[in-house]
Structures are given as C-alpha cells and as structure tokens.
Amino acid sequence: MHGTKIRTFRMLRGYSQEEVAAKLHITQSTYSRIETDEHKLTVEMLKKIANVLEVSVGDIVSNEPIIIQNNASNQGTQIARNENFYSDQKEVYEKHLASKDAEIMRLVKQVEDLMKLLGKNK
C-alpha cells in the first residue's frame, strides 16, 4: 500500500535496497517485499523506515504526490537531478509543465500584441 512511496523516497535519497535494509536490520529480500507491498508493515517498522529515509510517517502514508524541490548550493556545484520518477508521477509533471508552457506562449503573444499596439500609437 505504501511501497511505491517508500521506494521513491529511497531512490531520491540515492540509497540501494541493501543500504536501507542494513539500516533497518532486516534482509534485503524482506525490504524488497516492503517496496512491493508483499510485506505488511507494522507502525514501528513504518517509523523506522521514515527515520532512515528522513521523511515523516505522514509523507509515506499520505495520498498526496511527492513534491521534489531542487535546492542548489551557494556555489552552484551541487545540483543533482534524479530521473527515477514513476511513470504516473512523471505524466502528472509533464502535463503540468505543458500547461505552463502553453500559458507562457499565450503571455508572449499578448506582450507582442501590446507592443504592436504601443508602436502604432506613437
């Protein structure tokens, strides 16, 4: 039920299944079953996973999509990009970006039209 989010958070942190399993003191195969929702999570294990992945339990159990923020360092050298989106999340982001692109194009056209009007009124 929450395996997809757990997997996404793990991948965003750059952890392997083995690394997270070791931190949780469980086997990699047990952890893999958690990510595929084949292993029932206790509240205690959910808390441990949240702690290891540096998120809240609410982040994992929430129905809200994962919001990814890319904060560059002051030097601008630590920009990381993660392409490990799930297809359903990627589709949502692509649709959102496409709507923003369309809005930008509409605004550019509007500015061009206004510039033409201003040019004619001189």
Side-chain angles (χ1 to χ4, degrees), residues 13-122:
R13 295 284 182 255
Y15 296 144
S16 68
Q17 286 188 346
E18 291 82 7
E19 290 171 311
V20 175
K23 291 178 182 193
L24 295 171
H25 306 291
I26 60 175
T27 66
Q28 181 274 328
S29 63
T30 298
Y31 181 78
S32 177
R33 290 178 39 231
I34 289 170
E35 287 191 356
T36 57
D37 293 321
E38 297 171 27
H39 181 82
K40 185 173 175 156
L41 285 175
T42 63
V43 172
E44 188 60 36
M45 181 56 76
L46 192 57
K47 288 178 183 178
K48 287 180 182 179
I49 292 170
N51 185 49
V52 167
L53 298 177
E54 300 172 22
V55 297
S56 70
V57 171
D59 290 333
I60 294 173
V61 300
S62 166
N63 289 327
E64 296 297 316
I66 298 170
I67 305 298
I68 300 168
Q69 296 179 352
N70 186 4
N71 297 322
S73 70
N74 290 339
Q75 294 82 19
T77 59
Q78 300 276 335
I79 300 175
R81 203 177 146 126
N82 191 319
E83 296 294 332
N84 295 317
F85 293 109
Y86 289 92
S87 60
D88 60 331
Q89 292 171 330
K90 187 174 181 179
E91 184 178 315
V92 168
Y93 289 122
E94 287 173 345
K95 286 180 181 179
H96 186 69
L97 288 173
S99 73
K100 296 299 181 190
D101 288 343
E103 180 67 9
I104 290 169
M105 293 306 295
R106 186 189 68 75
L107 291 170
V108 166
K109 172 83 169 97
Q110 192 174 22
V111 168
E112 288 172 352
D113 291 345
L114 289 170
M115 294 300 286
K116 287 178 188 175
L117 282 173
L118 288 172
K120 289 181 181 179
N121 291 334
K122 286 185 178 179

